[in-house]
């Protein structure tokens, strides 16, 4: 997964520069399509890097450009989840764009108490999800503690692997990796 670092841009020019960098990456990925060693990669984008703080519609327009470039390259584009203040808009953007592109992945955070409801709302049978534990220091009323996050991760992972046509396991945690392997070995789609 390629991630051009930078979030919470302050201008449309910065957001457009980020799009240009991502399009260049997608073009390079696509150029390997006929090569013996095709590059198995995709990009992951934070909507605040595409100008979400300035305009929801502007960020959507930029994501549409990236989805088109991903389609041309024969790869995917993921929307990274950010801090809880952005979750509603990120999920809304994914729902809108998912109708237009089958190349779109959404990252969800197991640490957020709302994530199970988001999975249900998104209809996992039609969604492509990358599940992570969550990297943001969120308030206790909206996020689980470390151990409850692990339990949430296992529950969500099991449900997603059974229902979703594409579930990515995003973790450095050996326990989560082993759980994913265990659930997948039971015949769930991965």
């Amino acid at each position: 997964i390629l991630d051009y670092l930078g979030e919470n841009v302050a201008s449309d020019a910065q957001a457009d520069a980020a799009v240009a960098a991502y399009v260049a990456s997608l073009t390079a990925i696509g150029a390997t399509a006929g090569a013996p060693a095709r590059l198995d990669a995709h990009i992951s984008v934070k909507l605040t890097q595409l100008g979400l703080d300035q305009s929801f519609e502007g960020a959507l327009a930029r994501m549409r450009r990236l989805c088109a470039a991903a389609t041309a390259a024969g790869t995917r584009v993921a929307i990274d989840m950010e801090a809880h203040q952005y979750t509603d808009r990120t999920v809304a953007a994914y729902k809108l764009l998912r109708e237009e592109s089958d190349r779109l992945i959404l990252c969800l955070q197991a640490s957020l108490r709302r994530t199970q409801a988001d999975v249900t709302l998104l209809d996992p049978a039609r969604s492509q999800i990358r599940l992570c534990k969550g990297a943001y220091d969120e308030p206790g009323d909206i996020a689980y503690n470390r151990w409850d996050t692990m339990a949430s991760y296992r529950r969500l992972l099991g449900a997603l692997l059974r229902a979703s046509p594409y579930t990515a396991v995003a973790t450095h945690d050996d326990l989560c990796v082993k759980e994913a392997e265990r659930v997948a070995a039971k015949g769930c789609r991965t």
Side-chain angles (χ1 to χ4, degrees), residues 8-150:
N8 298 101
V9 299
S11 70
D12 286 341
Q14 289 175 320
D16 291 338
V19 169
Y22 278 119
V23 168
S25 295
L26 289 166
T27 300
I29 292 167
T32 69
R38 175 160 179 22
L39 187 57
D40 182 16
H42 67 268
I43 64 168
S44 187
V45 179
K46 287 181 170 44
L47 291 181
T48 61
Q49 188 177 27
L50 301 186
L52 182 61
D53 289 327
Q54 287 74 40
S55 162
F56 182 78
E57 290 302 322
L60 281 181
R62 290 179 183 95
M63 274 302 301
R64 285 184 176 104
R65 285 187 54 206
L66 296 179
C67 287
T71 298
T75 191
R76 292 180 161 97
V77 58
I79 301 175
D80 258 344
M81 190 55 71
E82 301 182 66
H84 75 276
Q85 302 93 312
Y86 297 102
T87 305
D88 285 336
R89 289 178 283 167
T90 301
V91 170
Y94 176 77
K95 285 176 60 180
L96 287 168
L97 295 168
R98 176 182 75 184
E99 299 301 321
E100 303 168 17
S101 175
D102 64 351
R103 301 291 181 156
L104 198 58
I105 302 165
L106 177 64
C107 183
L108 292 175
Q109 299 177 91
S111 62
L112 295 180
R113 296 176 187 274
R114 66 174 281 164
T115 300
Q116 180 61 58
D118 287 332
V119 167
T120 302
L121 172 79
L122 290 169
D123 182 10
R126 295 185 56 236
S127 298
Q128 298 182 81
I129 304 294
R130 183 175 84 221
L131 184 64
C132 72
K133 286 195 296 187
Y136 295 91
D137 185 18
E138 302 286 15
D141 60 326
I142 63 168
Y144 296 118
N145 64 36
R146 180 176 182 227
W147 298 111
D148 289 339
T149 293
M150 290 293 293

